[in-house]
Amino acid sequence: MNNPKITTHSAAQRRQYRAAGFWQDETLFQIVQDHADKTPDRFAVRDRCRRLTYRQLVSAAEHLALDLSENGVEPGQQVAVWLPNRLETVIVLLA
């Protein structure tokens, strides 16, 4: 079985994306946290079965991040996820 390749970007590509404004210093989590601070009870995501407010989404991501950390996952480590298009996928990406 072949190992999947992870997309990497050269220093020149990173500079180009930042100069164009595509990449900024805020993480996706920080953007969602900002929405949660401003409109905590507004719905953020939904799937076929349920929906979460920004407050609930941030809370779920923080709980998962803590659980990963407590189980030895460190910042910058890669984590594989195999999930369908559901709320849990968004939570994992934010965590």
Side-chain angles (χ1 to χ4, degrees):
M1 179 183 250
N2 292 336
N3 290 331
K5 292 188 176 189
I6 296 174
T7 302
T8 58
H9 300 281
S10 68
Q13 286 173 313
R14 289 191 298 269
R15 284 191 299 273
Q16 179 183 4
Y17 294 155
R18 282 191 173 277
F22 297 133
W23 287 5
Q24 299 179 13
D25 292 330
E26 277 188 310
T27 65
L28 289 175
F29 179 82
Q30 289 168 328
I31 293 168
V32 172
Q33 176 67 64
D34 185 51
H35 283 286
D37 291 343
K38 293 176 183 171
T39 56
D41 297 320
R42 187 172 187 184
F43 289 112
V45 292
R46 68 182 179 121
D47 64 17
R48 275 184 340 131
C49 302
R50 62 190 176 127
R51 56 189 178 176
L52 297 177
T53 64
Y54 280 103
R55 179 194 333 258
Q56 293 168 322
L57 180 59
V58 166
S59 177
E62 287 175 335
H63 281 92
L64 177 58
L66 179 61
D67 189 56
L68 291 171
S69 176
E70 289 174 347
N71 284 284
V73 177
E74 297 178 4
Q77 279 188 302
Q78 297 172 358
V79 176
V81 177
W82 188 5
L83 291 170
N85 290 331
R86 294 180 41 161
L87 294 176
E88 291 80 5
T89 304
V90 176
I91 292 167
V92 169
L93 291 173
L94 293 174

